[in-house]
Amino acid sequence: MPHRLCARALVLAACLCAGAVQATAPASNEALFQRLSALAPAGNAEVAYNLGMFLNNGIGTARDNVAAFRYFSQAAEAGHALAAYKVGCYYAGQFRDVVPVDAALALKFKLRAAEAGYDLAQRDVGAYQGKTGDTAQALAWFERAARQGDAASTALLAQHFAGDASPDKVKGLALLKLLKERMPQPSAQLLERIAAVEAGLTADQRGAAEREKSSWGSDPTPLTRQARGGMAQVPALLAALEQ
């Protein structure tokens, strides 16, 4: 796998380690944080994870990454996969003043989330495998994330299979066209690459590429859906626990 592919994947991973958070009105955020804090002593992993996200991002409270890491670690120890991903982000260097960078621990925790089905973790693990030279494993992880609709992983796969040295240009074309559908505004470079790959294929191969593209769904796992839901799920969690 070309070094630039791994570098781009690592940059994307670093940018996305912050996690998805959907903001509501400040007063509501403060109230949600206070209610979650009141439930923290019970040791619920979902509560601990969400408290970590509030503190990690300074939502409804002052940002406190030391406390966030503590909550993430608590939830991860109880088996919470998204919290494990966040612990992995910290060890990957997200907040170097909280814990020292430790690539082995970062991989260990992110792998837990990847195996549980989280698309961003799958992309991150793929980036790590690509950096270490294990192209086959990297591509396998990127594919798992791409089949959940992750555009960045789709782009990485398309770059690999549509490259000049690719042994499978049919798959490359399928991925390029899939990427086009997943981008709000496809770039001129992408459109040019699609045209160039198409020009080198037969009509039968182009038809095969269309069928290949159609076979790629965009079906997020429950864990990925939960992560993408962000804070929107907190009120329901509180309602269930405060009864």
Side-chain angles (χ1 to χ4, degrees):
M1 177 176 293
H3 176 70
R4 64 179 181 277
L5 174 59
C6 300
R8 289 175 186 175
L10 290 172
V11 169
L12 286 165
C15 291
L16 288 162
C17 265
V21 175
Q22 298 178 359
T24 57
S28 297
N29 291 336
E30 292 169 4
L32 291 174
F33 177 75
Q34 291 169 3
R35 291 165 65 189
L36 282 169
S37 298
L39 294 170
N44 182 283
E46 198 68 43
V47 169
Y49 165 70
N50 280 286
L51 280 169
M53 291 303 293
F54 274 67
L55 290 159
N56 185 83
N57 295 282
I59 304 296
T61 186
R63 186 171 179 170
D64 185 340
N65 295 113
V66 172
F69 181 74
R70 183 169 63 250
Y71 278 120
F72 287 142
S73 297
Q74 175 186 326
E77 185 176 350
H80 198 289
L82 293 179
Y85 175 72
K86 291 303 301 176
V87 172
C89 285
Y90 273 69
Y91 279 121
Q94 184 179 10
F95 298 106
R96 293 170 183 260
D97 57 333
V98 177
V99 291
V101 175
D102 189 319
L105 282 175
L107 178 63
K108 172 186 173 182
F109 282 98
K110 289 186 178 186
L111 188 59
R112 282 173 51 185
E115 290 174 340
Y118 185 30
D119 61 346
L120 297 192
Q122 291 168 347
R123 186 205 304 165
D124 286 5
V125 172
Y128 177 87
Q129 299 290 3
K131 185 180 178 183
T132 60
D134 192 339
T135 301
Q137 279 297 310
L139 294 174
W141 282 114
F142 291 150
E143 179 161 338
R144 290 177 69 174
R147 287 188 180 277
Q148 295 194 61
D150 182 60
S153 295
T154 306
L156 291 165
L157 285 171
Q159 182 179 347
H160 176 80
F161 284 105
D164 293 335
S166 170
D168 192 349
K169 289 288 182 64
V170 169
K171 185 171 184 176
L173 179 59
L175 287 163
L176 287 171
K177 289 192 169 186
L178 186 66
L179 178 61
K180 177 185 173 183
E181 291 182 355
R182 291 178 175 177
M183 293 181 68
Q185 186 172 355
S187 66
Q189 182 181 16
L190 173 59
L191 297 177
E192 290 169 3
R193 188 58 187 160
I194 290 173
V197 174
E198 279 185 321
L201 298 179
T202 66
D204 286 345
Q205 288 174 319
R206 291 193 294 271
E210 284 294 333
R211 291 190 293 275
E212 171 87 3
K213 179 176 72 70
S214 299
S215 72
W216 283 66
S218 180
D219 187 19
T221 64
L223 191 64
T224 296
R225 291 182 187 276
Q226 179 184 354
R228 293 178 184 176
M231 286 172 53
Q233 300 166 91
V234 172
L237 170 66
L238 289 169
L241 295 177
E242 289 173 341
Q243 292 180 353

